[in-house]
Amino acid sequence: MQKQKVTIYDVAREAKVSMATVSRVVNGNTNVRQETRDRVLAVIKRLHYQPNAVAQGLASKKTTTIGLIVPDLTNLYFSELSKGIDDIAMIYKYNIILSSIENRLMREGDVIQGLLNKQVDGIIYMSNRLSKEAEEAFLRTKTPVVLAGTLDNDGHLPSVNIDYIKADTEAFELMYASGKKNIAIAVGDSEAVINKQHRLVAYRRFLEAHHLGEGHVYRNIQNYADGYNLYAQLKQEKIDGIFVTKDLPSAGIVNAASEKGTKVPEDLEIITATATDIVKVVRPKLTAVKQPLYDIGAVAMRMLTKLMGDEPLEDKKVVLPYALEKNDSTSTR
Amino acid sequence: MQKQKVTIYDVAREAKVSMATVSRVVNGNTNVRQETRDRVLAVIKRLHYQPNAVAQGLASKKTTTIGLIVPDLTNLYFSELSKGIDDIAMIYKYNIILSSIENRLMREGDVIQGLLNKQVDGIIYMSNRLSKEAEEAFLRTKTPVVLAGTLDNDGHLPSVNIDYIKADTEAFELMYASGKKNIAIAVGDSEAVINKQHRLVAYRRFLEAHHLGEGHVYRNIQNYADGYNLYAQLKQEKIDGIFVTKDLPSAGIVNAASEKGTKVPEDLEIITATATDIVKVVRPKLTAVKQPLYDIGAVAMRMLTKLMGDEPLEDKKVVLPYALEKNDSTSTR
DNA sequence: GTGAAAGCGCTAACAA
DNA sequence: TTGTTAGCGCTTTCAC
């Protein structure tokens, strides 16, 4: 490849100043006489000079780029979070390097190392499950990291979330208030920190509080078909209320129930843990925990900008409010 | 910020070779004696040396990074495309800089310039509407660009798509075969090239072929509510079949129809132009054009790798096959 | 097969 | 306020 067409050197020569002065102008340094600045600016415009961000990055050790680690962009949960992150990143002029960790083409540790090699100024990580190797890599590096809609085991890393235990408990109690006694929970990855240490804990506490016995935990319920197929089991085990962590499986359950003649919410109540577009498309409309996904992303990104600017963080663990949106898959108002 | 911990220089010193040799080893250059290579590799491992990609980029003028321009990641159409792009990019070891152009925080030209300043090796662009400033920027730069699920006005840029005219015509004819005579079309952005030069053209040709008069074009039908609200108008204008370019509005129409007592497909047939998860969640299940979104993305990325490697392209405009998935919102099988 | 040395384009002391 | 001068960490001729 050829050399860059117009460099800072060309501008300096044409404007009869030093490279340093051009650099100052480009970076908005105020220590430049207005007259000089204008002259440089004119040359920059005339030559269509554009700074080479890679060279800037090498010299300044700042790339104005962050890494975004995400499991699956086609999942609305993550894409909503990403949108919040993206908007704030744009405001602060950061670019985002997107790293998907869904397919196992690359080990998570290598993905993170790749980001670090690209000298990203910070990393935002989202995933249902924070892998061990990721957690270790994050604790080792001095590059700032923030978790969005994600929790680590010991709470060492800055993060933004809602209070899952509180939200889930409210959901269980809503179904209980309708007189349901055989309430179940269906989770995606039962080893994920949020499920293992929060949602399932809330479930057990709920069961104990009302002396409801062992309960029913369905694991690995990930997609529409999983939900659809789960229905038969729910029917057999006489489940009359279920909390589902993902939206597509919830839709599957509702549709299966409708087809097989089970009335929702009379015979079976359903609450889903994430209010996406799916919720309003299904009939009956699903009662759902409305998480402020966009805000979680936005706040996470804002936290990261502070960390990258060596500003102090008020809260390391931010907890945002949620709302339980009562729709037609539950009966108690 | 401090200097990098371990540099190529440290490795060279410890291995008692020159930086050039270390560089060769790192980049898999074969002109290194096996013995030397092993020694260098051992030192790299011992010191945990990791190359600085920014410095590599500056020296080699290759960043192994591409720019991905996307309007809205929460739109399944684009996130599916992105997934295909991401997978292939990962295989070829390219990182992706994600640039959203949905919010108008930044002009599209500036977004592209920013990517160019970061010295990306290539760009993939997706959008319903290729803006004039984007098109001009792409024609001006020597950085390779590929359009995914997107078309430019004059067809100068490499792109991957399906045959929209053929697909839409098939959809119209399917409804016509059911005896529908007042068939309409609802589009998102009617100025988008795909709509203006393909979908709407197909619609007009269909009307003419069957002497169906002027027809009905509904514009700016973007989201669930738009579709839901459109129903009243469809009813008033006695529409008995409609082709909708987006999935959420389709769901809105179906749900509104069900609520108001209009039978789908008996009284109103609906076909949507993109088969996403929404299609199978709505009842009745929507008949839809199944676009190979993942493949479009994958092929676009593969084309880009060729362009970046100065390999020739067999086809500049790739057209992938689609399938019309007949579900329950149409009656003809 | 290996090394010396000149950059890549820019920033950031330090002087002036 | 401006210029000089080292780098930043790496690749890449060109010799040997």
Side-chain angles (χ1 to χ4, degrees):
Chain A
M1 194 187 277
Q2 61 184 342
K3 282 201 258 185
Q4 188 163 312
K5 325 122 301 222
V6 184
T7 73
I8 199 172
Y9 179 79
D10 299 315
V11 176
R13 177 171 34 73
E14 292 287 311
K16 303 194 196 316
V17 294
S18 71
M19 288 162 57
T21 297
V22 179
S23 176
R24 289 188 187 101
V25 171
V26 168
N27 294 298
N29 187 316
T30 49
N31 285 341
V32 182
R33 194 161 25 116
Q34 188 58 44
E35 190 186 88
T36 314
R37 174 184 308 279
D38 291 343
R39 185 152 38 93
V40 171
L41 250 16
V43 174
I44 285 178
K45 198 165 181 186
R46 178 158 61 81
L47 301 186
H48 299 293
Y49 167 71
Q50 292 289 148
N52 180 325
V54 173
Q56 288 179 315
L58 183 59
S60 70
K61 304 197 154 305
K62 291 208 189 89
T63 55
T64 59
T65 301
I66 66 150
L68 180 61
I69 298 178
V70 51
D72 179 12
L73 274 184
T74 62
N75 183 324
L76 278 169
Y77 178 81
F78 296 115
S79 57
E80 278 286 351
L81 283 171
S82 302
K83 196 185 251 185
I85 292 166
D86 186 69
D87 279 0
I88 305 302
M90 190 168 279
I91 289 173
Y92 285 90
K93 312 264 185 223
Y94 279 96
N95 279 112
I96 292 175
I97 295 187
L98 183 68
S99 297
S100 163
I101 49 170
E102 178 193 32
N103 57 37
R104 310 270 73 196
L105 286 175
M106 225 183 246
R107 291 182 44 237
E108 226 171 279
D110 294 338
V111 169
I112 294 169
Q113 187 59 59
L115 249 18
L116 262 17
N117 291 353
K118 289 256 158 128
Q119 313 300 121
V120 294
D121 297 335
I123 292 176
I124 292 192
Y125 182 97
M126 6 188 225
S127 168
N128 297 316
R129 169 171 356 199
L130 175 60
S131 69
K132 206 66 210 151
E133 56 177 327
E135 195 162 0
E136 284 168 9
F138 291 155
L139 259 19
R140 207 182 311 126
T141 181
K142 58 182 195 321
T143 303
V145 175
V146 175
L147 308 179
T150 304
L151 284 167
D152 53 338
N153 283 290
D154 39 23
H156 284 343
L157 296 167
S159 65
V160 186
N161 289 276
I162 64 164
D163 185 338
Y164 303 104
I165 291 188
K166 187 151 156 268
D168 293 15
T169 302
E170 199 175 319
F172 294 129
E173 293 294 349
L174 184 72
M175 294 191 276
Y176 187 76
S178 306
K180 305 303 179 192
K181 292 289 184 298
N182 199 18
I183 296 172
I185 182 170
V187 299
D189 179 354
S190 60
E191 289 302 308
V193 173
I194 288 179
N195 288 328
K196 193 171 192 170
Q197 297 187 18
H198 295 253
R199 298 199 189 281
L200 291 174
V201 167
Y203 182 58
R204 271 198 303 279
R205 284 190 198 159
F206 164 75
L207 292 175
E208 282 168 20
H210 296 287
H211 310 292
L212 292 175
E214 287 300 299
H216 296 268
V217 177
Y218 302 106
R219 295 163 204 278
N220 205 31
I221 308 300
Q222 307 278 12
N223 53 41
Y224 182 84
D226 292 341
Y228 193 90
N229 297 328
L230 180 62
Y231 168 77
Q233 202 172 342
L234 299 182
K235 170 125 188 177
Q236 190 190 317
E237 306 192 307
K238 299 194 195 322
I239 301 300
D240 56 9
I242 186 165
F243 180 78
V244 187
T245 62
K246 298 189 148 192
D247 54 349
L248 274 174
S250 310
I253 295 173
V254 169
N255 281 345
S258 301
E259 286 173 24
K260 307 293 164 51
T262 295
K263 287 214 177 68
V264 175
E266 293 82 351
D267 304 335
L268 174 66
E269 296 207 350
I270 301 178
I271 299 181
T272 189
T274 320
T276 63
D277 280 331
I278 299 291
V279 162
K280 61 183 172 198
V281 166
V282 179
R283 286 296 175 275
K285 258 177 94 169
L286 289 168
T287 290
V289 176
K290 196 160 197 152
Q291 297 190 46
L293 297 177
Y294 180 93
D295 295 341
I296 290 177
V299 170
M301 183 63 213
R302 183 65 187 99
M303 282 172 77
L304 191 62
T305 63
K306 287 191 181 165
L307 289 170
M308 293 186 298
D310 289 317
E311 292 174 50
L313 238 46
E314 301 90 69
D315 284 314
K316 228 179 138 180
K317 318 243 103 187
V318 174
V319 176
L320 261 30
Y322 64 89
L324 186 57
E325 190 179 293
K326 294 176 189 170
N327 286 321
D328 308 328
S329 66
T330 52
S331 47
T332 301
R333 294 291 115 177
Chain B
M1 191 188 276
Q2 61 184 343
K3 283 201 261 185
Q4 186 163 313
K5 323 117 308 208
V6 185
T7 72
I8 200 172
Y9 179 81
D10 299 315
V11 176
R13 178 169 35 72
E14 292 286 311
K16 301 194 198 316
V17 295
S18 70
M19 288 162 59
T21 298
V22 178
S23 175
R24 290 187 186 103
V25 171
V26 167
N27 294 297
N29 186 316
T30 50
N31 286 342
V32 182
R33 199 164 16 121
Q34 188 59 44
E35 190 186 88
T36 314
R37 176 184 306 279
D38 292 342
R39 187 152 38 92
V40 172
L41 249 19
V43 174
I44 286 178
K45 198 166 182 185
R46 178 160 60 79
L47 300 187
H48 298 292
Y49 167 70
Q50 293 288 149
N52 179 324
V54 173
Q56 288 179 315
L58 183 59
S60 70
K61 304 194 158 302
K62 292 210 189 86
T63 55
T64 59
T65 301
I66 66 149
L68 181 61
I69 298 177
V70 50
D72 178 12
L73 273 184
T74 63
N75 182 326
L76 277 170
Y77 179 79
F78 296 115
S79 57
E80 279 285 351
L81 283 172
S82 302
K83 196 185 253 188
I85 292 165
D86 185 71
D87 279 0
I88 305 303
M90 191 167 278
I91 290 174
Y92 285 89
K93 312 265 185 225
Y94 278 95
N95 279 112
I96 291 174
I97 295 187
L98 184 68
S99 297
S100 164
I101 50 170
E102 179 191 32
N103 57 37
R104 310 270 73 194
L105 286 175
M106 225 183 249
R107 292 183 41 239
E108 225 171 280
D110 294 338
V111 169
I112 294 169
Q113 189 59 58
L115 249 18
L116 261 17
N117 291 353
K118 289 257 158 125
Q119 313 299 121
V120 295
D121 297 335
I123 292 177
I124 291 191
Y125 182 97
M126 6 188 227
S127 168
N128 297 317
R129 170 171 357 200
L130 174 60
S131 69
K132 205 68 210 148
E133 56 177 328
E135 195 162 1
E136 283 167 9
F138 291 156
L139 259 18
R140 207 182 311 124
T141 180
K142 59 183 192 319
T143 303
V145 176
V146 175
L147 308 180
T150 303
L151 283 168
D152 53 337
N153 283 292
D154 38 23
H156 284 343
L157 295 167
S159 65
V160 186
N161 289 277
I162 65 164
D163 184 337
Y164 303 105
I165 292 190
K166 188 152 157 264
D168 294 14
T169 302
E170 199 175 322
F172 295 131
E173 292 294 348
L174 184 72
M175 294 190 277
Y176 187 75
S178 307
K180 304 304 180 194
K181 293 288 185 296
N182 200 18
I183 297 171
I185 183 170
V187 299
D189 178 354
S190 60
E191 289 303 309
V193 173
I194 288 180
N195 288 330
K196 194 170 192 171
Q197 295 189 18
H198 295 255
R199 298 197 189 285
L200 291 175
V201 167
Y203 182 60
R204 271 198 302 280
R205 286 190 196 159
F206 164 74
L207 292 176
E208 282 168 20
H210 296 287
H211 309 292
L212 292 175
E214 287 300 299
H216 296 269
V217 178
Y218 302 105
R219 297 161 202 280
N220 205 29
I221 307 301
Q222 307 278 12
N223 54 39
Y224 182 85
D226 291 341
Y228 193 91
N229 297 330
L230 179 62
Y231 168 77
Q233 202 172 342
L234 298 183
K235 171 126 187 174
Q236 189 191 316
E237 306 193 305
K238 299 195 194 323
I239 301 299
D240 55 9
I242 186 164
F243 180 77
V244 187
T245 62
K246 297 189 150 194
D247 55 350
L248 275 174
S250 310
I253 295 173
V254 170
N255 281 343
S258 301
E259 286 173 23
K260 308 292 164 53
T262 294
K263 286 212 178 70
V264 176
E266 292 82 351
D267 304 335
L268 176 64
E269 297 207 350
I270 302 178
I271 299 181
T272 188
T274 322
T276 62
D277 280 333
I278 299 292
V279 163
K280 59 184 172 199
V281 166
V282 179
R283 287 294 175 274
K285 259 177 91 169
L286 288 168
T287 289
V289 176
K290 195 160 198 154
Q291 296 189 45
L293 297 176
Y294 179 93
D295 296 341
I296 290 176
V299 169
M301 183 62 211
R302 183 63 188 99
M303 281 172 77
L304 191 62
T305 63
K306 287 189 182 169
L307 290 170
M308 294 186 298
D310 288 318
E311 292 175 50
L313 237 45
E314 300 91 67
D315 284 315
K316 227 178 141 182
K317 319 242 103 186
V318 174
V319 176
L320 261 30
Y322 64 87
L324 186 57
E325 190 178 293
K326 294 177 189 170
N327 285 320
D328 308 329
S329 67
T330 51
S331 47
T332 300
R333 295 291 115 179

